[in-house]
Amino acid sequence: MLISLDWIKDFIEEKIETKEDKLSISPKELLNDITLSIAEVEGVEVIGEHWSKIRIARIVGIKRHPEAEKLNLVTFTLSEDNQIVGEVVCGANNVRVDMKVPYAPLGTRFPGGLLLEAKKIRGIVSQGMLCSQTELGMATAEGPSHGLWEMPDDSPLGQTLEEYLHEKNDVIINIDNKSLTHRPDLWGHYGMAREIAAVYRKRGVKLKNCYNKEWEQKQVQQSPITPVLEGESAGLAYYALSINDVKIGPSPAWMAQRLTRVGLRPINNIVDISNYVMLELGIPLHIFDRDLLCGDKIIIRKATVPQNIKTLDGIERQLLPEDTVVADCKRPLVIAGIMGGDESGVKDNTRNILIEVANWKAGAIRRTSARLGLRTDSSQRYEKSLDSKLLMRTMIRTCQLVLELCPEAKVVGKIEMASAGDELNSPPRIIHTSYREINSLLGKEVPKEEIKEILQALEFEVSEVSDVSGVSQISIVVPSFRATKDVECTSCIVEEIGRIVGYNTITPQSPLTPALPVRLSPSKNLERKIQDFMVIQGRSLEIITYPLVGEKLLQQALWPTLNPELILVNALSRDHDRMRPSLIPSLLEAANLNQKSYESFRLFELGRAFTSAFPAAESSEVEKFAQEDYHLGILFFSRTTRPQSPIFLEAVNLVENLFDYIKLKGELVTDNPRLSRPSSMLIPNNWPGKHPQQFYHVMAQGTAVGAINLVNPMVLRSFKIRGEMVIAVINLSTFKDREIKDKVIYKQLPKFPSSIFDCTVIIDGNINVENALQVVRSLKIKELVDCKIADVFTLTSEEKIPGEKTRARAVTLRSVLYHPEKTLSGEFIKETENKIIKKLEQAGFPLKSII
Amino acid sequence: MKHDQSPSPNELYQEFLKHLEDLKNKAEALDLKAKYLGKNGIFSIILKDLKDAAIEVKKEIGQQCNEYKNQIEDLIRSKLDELELQEINRSLAEDWVDITLKNSNLDRGLTAAGYHPMTIVQREIEDIFTSMGFLILDGPYIEDDYHNFTALNTPADHPARDMTDTFWFKNTTEGKQRLHKYLLRTHTSTIQIRGMETYSPPFKFVGPGKVFRCERTDASHEVVFHQIEGMIVDKGISVSNLIYFMKTLLQEIFRREIEVRLRPGFFPFVEPGFELDVKCLICQGNGCSVCKQSGWLELLPCGMVHPNVLREGGIDPKIYQGLAFGLGLDRLTMMRYVIDDVRLINSGDLRFISQFKSY
């Protein structure tokens, strides 16, 4: 919103005798003070500053510039005594002695921003400039002027153009509307003047009370139109006044200039008055051509369906039954609080008018305005909750201006009014508090007198109540224009005092809270441990991606569900219109992007995945709607295959180590019938990206918490990615709140020797070595403490048995026998070795020596 | 005499020395050792033959033989060591490895590893708060109307709802009294409500996380960005405490003395509400393009917790007061690393991420 300082000055008391301008404050200071005490200023612009600097001069002498043929050195005077003031370099053709011209001294800033500075022109410093009309920003009938402005001979020498032309300079302050969201009172110049007066109260700036509460009822005859307010509507109060015989024409220059300066286009005197009053008092109003209305009633009611209205901007708009309209006996005339209709508005030939000054329920206006996508100067004021008690004043001011601009106009009847309930008689809001409470919340001792003075400057009434137990209580009457939404409790009073005394006068102080030990929550600790592990051990880069995805990506990833339950109403693009069901599509998208730059990489993300919930009885509202899981996603990519270290096994080893690191027993299983809960299937069985063989479920605490998968080429093909990719996902939700505990207890070092037994067996090509290990482990011999693979080699073609075991491997199993309390006997060892061999043979893993 | 015909121990020793020089490997050395010192070696035979000789001869020759035997023993040992060293050196020379063939000289794809730059900044900030006694809390991204607005003193139809462009979900759920609508949280202030639901005062906590705004994206606007919310509730909390905490925090973040100012700012859940500015770190307040010539940078919104919010969290505002603030993590990350486009944060582009690698 643009605020004109010149306009503000209308409302500041001035000392009659000195006419001193107490608000002559530098724009920079204004910007700073308003920002710190009232609302955010986006910028301050000085308009017409040059008028007060430029004076009427008479040329005394002209001589040729020694260095330039087309330039002259011109001397001039500003007074009748012909005293020469200075010499300027001038290039105009029409320069002559005795000519009266405008002279701009150094330091003048011209319209367009040019600042006149001391500069040498061909070696000679010009002490200012003689100006043309174009340079002064004046329009001339002949178009842009080139020569000096030749002023009439009787122009008073030495007078400023401000006096001569009655031009005024002004400061336009641009206030950020967002910072006025809670301040309906600041949407007009009068309200802003009150604040500025409070801020500069110490300089003696005082608000002038321009509006008498009394309205002289000059006419008491019958009003031609009266308002009727229907209870269901959004109407709070409605004032109507009829005026006859207005004459539509252009507004006077002062009004047009003010409107233009704050960004409005002048239209005609009556329309301009409605805008002018709104900008002055912050209350929107509407003026009808009364001759276009039907009947003698203005009805404020809900819209009936189906109903359309063509608004002032010429657009046909559809009304719904929840919208409120202002109607006559036939049709809706105005979308209440938002915009008037085209038909009944003021036209060039309008003679008789009806002025509407009304107040509406903020919520209803906001809903209709949002639905229609129609935010107007009017609606953005009403949705802040305006004060109905200001309506009368607004009507008086409007009427006053109409009569001023159309002296022949006559008021017909009286101000007619309709209101909802007690709207106009509601009791004032009173806040009971104490100086002590205010100062305690502020953390600063502001003297009582100052608190009182500030509140009074802002039109709060302060009265001190009896001293109860030594604390003087005060009751504060909140002015009605601050009580609609903004000021409701002591904290709000603290804000008033704090911002006016200046928050920068408060000394920072530490609160006196006891020192208590804190530690990271289990989930934060887990998050950090995983990040550390993935960077240092996993040699991976951490990425962050949108938790929002689109159908296109899910389809490209061949993902089996499209999460239709979690779609946004107002997504900005179809690529990000729903929550992701898994991190996998996001990881694939990132991999696809990066494989264009790199041959291989490892990345991970700690992110969330979303599924529509299966509500449990005790779950909260949000939990009933969606399940939000914390996932770790890991992706390894390599353009080329490295047979000696398969990428899948690298990921497997990493995940196993990770579970050790977070001290959680994680188990990798190839297949598990217990995995019934669909949400625990992190890689769904029907995802074409699932690999038929290189796949593990990760089990922890009895449930599937993750999966490791070599991405099926089907999916890579869909992204046109060449290479190998493994993805692991782990759902941290089930264990993220579990404390990571160090449960290690020292065990005695072995006192007796252990016995190691190696045996090499033949394992068929497509059988995992773990099957042989399980055979040995299943012997359940207490002394058999360990069995692992010591060596694997694929049999050469000479060694292979014809017909079968074409890709067989010779695998050396190393078993460790140990007893904590004794040395094992030779017989026992021999006996156990035989048991192992026999069991292996029975399971189809014969010793190599046998074949 | 038999003795006169056989060579003297000295002659044998001289002969040994000649052989010693010709030794080429360990086997020859061991053979030579056996020839002179073995059970049936030359010296053993001499000593054996001496058993019939006169006692003086026995003593003299025997002594000589033993001396030479010791000397030969030592010489063979050192010769063996010498030969072994030669062999090790030879085999090591054969096992030459190009020690400049290290990873940093190889193109093995992208081998860098490291944290996301925002993680680095976020951790630092979390650690500052932890050191000042704050807990770190979390909350869901998908929220209901209550936690994002109503409980934060922003009832339905409050114009402040327009200040944040909210993403709403199509689906709703049927509540007991009304329809429940869901949204993506527009600020981490929801964590204030979740914190108050969990803890009783006095408490201090921060809540970092993603937030969502339905806004067009450009170099300085993102749909998904990151904030860290903070809240302190205790007896006697004042605006002066708020300034203290904010100043201390920012000095820790920027690692230097900074000047701050508070100015009125409207957020429905705080009263009084502020925007906190820091004196521009680039131009020291003289005005530059970064601070748009104002000399100040708008850094964080903050304020005293509105009594209605405390009440909503089951806290009596007559006994306890609170302060709350929110920091934009993307902005801080961008300031720290001089990143000029916020969209890089969520891009997943490793050309960007790998610049912040740990190794």
Side-chain angles (χ1 to χ4, degrees), chain A residues 367 495 513 524 532 546 628, chain B residues 115 141 157 222 234 271:
Chain A
R367 275 194 295 272
E495 170 151 46
T513 43
K524 176 55 75 178
D532 291 342
Y546 273 12
E628 198 165 321
Chain B
Y115 304 88
Y141 300 164
D157 292 321
E222 251 290 18
D234 203 344
E271 184 77 46

Side-chain angles (χ1 to χ4, degrees), chain A residues 366-367 441 495 509 513 524 528 531-532 535 539 542 546 567 569-570 572 594 600 608 628 630, chain B residues 110 115 119 123 126-127 138-139 141 157 162 166 168 170 215 222 234 239 241 264 271 348 350 359:
Chain A
R366 186 175 166 271
R367 275 194 295 272
L441 274 164
E495 170 151 46
Q509 271 175 326
T513 43
K524 176 55 75 178
R528 288 194 173 190
Q531 284 169 330
D532 291 342
V535 168
R539 293 189 285 114
E542 184 186 20
Y546 273 12
I567 292 182
V569 179
N570 52 342
L572 287 170
N594 289 300
S600 69
R608 298 189 193 177
E628 198 165 321
Y630 292 61
Chain B
L110 183 60
Y115 304 88
T119 299
R123 270 200 194 188
E126 287 174 356
D127 289 346
D138 200 357
Y141 300 164
D157 292 321
D162 288 341
T166 312
W168 293 92
K170 266 190 192 146
E215 276 185 339
E222 251 290 18
D234 203 344
V239 176
N241 299 152
E271 184 77 46
L350 300 182
Y359 66 91

Side-chain angles (χ1 to χ4, degrees), chain A residues 425-437:
Chain A
N425 301 310
S426 56
R429 175 172 293 152
I430 296 171
I431 294 172
H432 299 282
T433 182
S434 65
Y435 293 119
R436 184 193 281 182
E437 197 182 346

Side-chain angles (χ1 to χ4, degrees), chain B residues 80-348:
Chain B
L80 275 171
D81 285 349
E82 187 193 314
L83 287 168
E84 183 152 14
L85 187 67
Q86 276 173 15
E87 263 171 50
I88 288 174
N89 283 341
R90 199 179 308 126
S91 82
L92 287 186
E94 280 162 14
D95 292 344
W96 179 83
V97 165
D98 186 341
I99 56 167
T100 62
L101 217 51
K102 42 188 187 158
N103 278 351
S104 55
N105 283 338
L106 294 179
D107 181 4
R108 286 278 157 81
L110 183 60
T111 53
Y115 304 88
H116 192 286
M118 181 123 67
T119 299
I120 301 171
V121 171
Q122 184 180 331
R123 270 200 194 188
E124 247 184 62
I125 291 171
E126 287 174 356
D127 289 346
I128 293 167
F129 280 114
T130 311
S131 77
M132 293 197 287
F134 284 73
L135 297 169
I136 304 174
L137 306 186
D138 200 357
Y141 300 164
I142 299 181
E143 276 287 11
D144 53 8
D145 197 271
Y146 173 80
H147 285 89
N148 199 69
F149 290 123
T150 314
L152 287 162
N153 200 32
T154 318
D157 292 321
H158 194 289
R161 289 196 172 199
D162 288 341
M163 288 165 64
T164 57
D165 303 301
T166 312
F167 280 121
W168 293 92
F169 283 95
K170 266 190 192 146
N171 285 7
T172 52
T173 61
E174 208 70 60
K176 275 181 196 130
Q177 282 128 26
R178 60 192 174 86
L179 207 62
H180 289 281
K181 290 170 80 183
Y182 299 92
L183 52 88
L184 284 170
R185 69 177 179 200
T186 59
H187 42 207
T188 43
S189 306
T190 53
I191 300 174
Q192 287 187 28
I193 304 302
R194 303 219 164 252
M196 288 190 291
E197 285 169 357
T198 317
Y199 296 92
S200 317
F203 55 69
K204 296 198 275 265
F205 59 74
V206 289
K210 283 189 206 303
V211 297
F212 303 80
R213 298 273 171 96
C214 180
E215 276 185 339
R216 294 260 157 243
T217 57
D218 60 34
S220 47
H221 293 91
E222 251 290 18
V223 167
V224 184
F225 54 101
H226 303 77
Q227 293 182 334
I228 185 162
E229 188 80 7
M231 189 183 203
I232 302 177
V233 174
D234 203 344
K235 288 176 186 166
I237 293 289
S238 69
V239 176
S240 99
N241 299 152
L242 175 89
I243 304 175
Y244 170 82
F245 261 104
M246 297 302 97
K247 205 175 158 169
T248 309
L249 166 73
L250 294 170
Q251 266 164 206
E252 280 299 309
I253 292 176
F254 293 109
R255 306 268 172 109
R256 61 166 122 158
E257 188 70 27
I258 54 153
E259 205 178 311
V260 301
R261 70 172 192 187
L262 289 187
R263 55 186 169 83
F266 171 65
F267 309 96
F269 39 97
V270 283
E271 184 77 46
F274 311 107
E275 287 285 1
L276 183 138
D277 299 338
V278 291
K279 188 159 266 185
C280 180
L281 301 163
I282 312 285
C283 65
Q284 267 73 41
N286 297 322
C288 66
S289 63
V290 174
C291 61
K292 292 176 192 141
Q293 308 305 327
S294 72
W296 295 90
L297 288 175
E298 183 177 315
L299 205 61
L300 64 98
C302 53
M304 304 293 291
V305 181
H306 197 290
N308 290 350
V309 175
L310 289 173
R311 255 178 240 125
E312 208 58 60
I315 294 168
D316 184 352
K318 288 216 174 67
I319 303 172
Y320 289 103
Q321 295 76 44
L323 62 87
F325 51 88
L327 260 172
L329 288 173
D330 303 72
R331 178 93 183 282
L332 285 175
T333 307
M334 291 169 76
M335 281 169 79
R336 156 75 72 86
Y337 294 109
V338 203
I339 298 167
D340 59 2
D341 192 332
V342 69
R343 291 168 294 192
L344 287 166
I345 303 273
N346 294 310
S347 67

